[in-house]
Amino acid sequence: MKKTDRIVRLLSSDIEKKDILEVACGSADFSVAAASLANSVSCIDLDDSRLNPMVAQSNVCFQIMDASQMEYQDHSFDTIVMYNAYYHIQTQWKEIEKECRRVLRNRGCIYIIGTWKLDTSIMLDIFGDKAFWLDDFLIVKEFVE
Ligand SMILES: C[S@@+](CC[C@H](N)C(=O)[O-])C[C@H]1O[C@@H](n2cnc3c(N)ncnc32)[C@H](O)[C@@H]1O
């Protein structure tokens, strides 16, 4: 089973029948995997050069968009995911987190997920005890009241 299918299954309670946004999606493999369970999946990145062609065949809506200045309305999503992307957005995290909180609905959540050493080491440095392992995925989960 693909890693992205495994993590979608592990997080299914926050994905099934929910409106999902993947930020800094790159290939958007996570979004493609989530599409079978979610109500809707949107994903954004600064460019589409690595986008998985499966995105076009699934019900995933990809847009080129800066995560620190999202075009979505307030309270648009239930769950936001960053998959193997924290290292690349770390310097903008404050602005991106603020935007994530704005576009999330009440009682929504943000998942930062890392499997690559590049991401997991910086996540452990920045988030410390807030980061936990679930199988071979390092996860930080933030709640929005
Ligand atoms: C390691 S890659 C993506 C990993 C991706 N989740 C995957 O599995 O392919 C990090 C991505 O962050 C994107 N990125 C960096 N800053 C961004 C921003 N401000 N808004 C949206 N995407 C951003 C980059 O364009 C790049 O595609």
Side-chain angles (χ1 to χ4, degrees):
M1 186 188 282
K2 280 179 72 174
K3 262 195 171 179
T4 42
D5 290 327
R6 276 204 293 123
I7 186 64
V8 162
R9 190 175 283 191
L10 287 167
L11 305 182
S12 61
S13 60
D14 285 317
I15 292 179
E16 200 163 11
K17 299 192 173 78
K18 309 275 189 188
D19 296 319
I20 311 294
L21 172 65
E22 183 185 5
V23 162
C25 65
S27 62
D29 287 352
F30 178 90
S31 292
V32 170
S36 58
L37 276 188
N39 179 51
S40 73
V41 183
S42 300
C43 57
I44 59 171
D45 200 289
L46 293 176
D47 73 76
D48 62 0
S49 57
R50 294 184 51 242
L51 199 60
N52 181 339
M54 288 293 290
V55 166
Q57 296 164 38
S58 58
N59 64 338
V60 174
C61 175
F62 170 79
Q63 282 179 273
I64 291 183
M65 198 186 294
D66 185 342
S68 65
Q69 291 179 306
M70 292 191 224
E71 294 158 24
Y72 301 115
Q73 303 209 327
D74 296 356
H75 314 303
S76 297
F77 301 99
D78 302 300
T79 304
I80 296 183
V81 174
M82 253 154 287
Y83 183 78
N84 278 335
Y86 187 77
Y87 177 85
H88 290 81
I89 55 98
Q90 58 181 295
T91 57
Q92 294 176 284
W93 174 235
K94 277 212 170 91
E95 295 89 340
I96 292 177
E97 184 186 21
K98 194 171 166 208
E99 277 293 85
C100 288
R101 289 178 176 277
R102 178 183 69 74
V103 302
L104 266 175
R105 298 187 179 123
N106 290 348
R107 289 191 281 166
C109 62
I110 304 169
Y111 280 105
I112 304 168
I113 302 164
T115 64
W116 297 335
K117 184 95 177 121
L118 204 63
D119 289 290
T120 57
S121 10
I122 183 97
M123 285 169 65
L124 288 167
D125 277 355
I126 301 292
F127 296 102
D129 288 349
K130 275 185 72 182
F132 62 94
W133 289 98
L134 192 58
D135 290 357
D136 45 350
F137 301 95
L138 185 68
I139 296 180
V140 173
K141 183 175 184 181
E142 297 200 344
F143 297 90
V144 173
E145 293 308 318

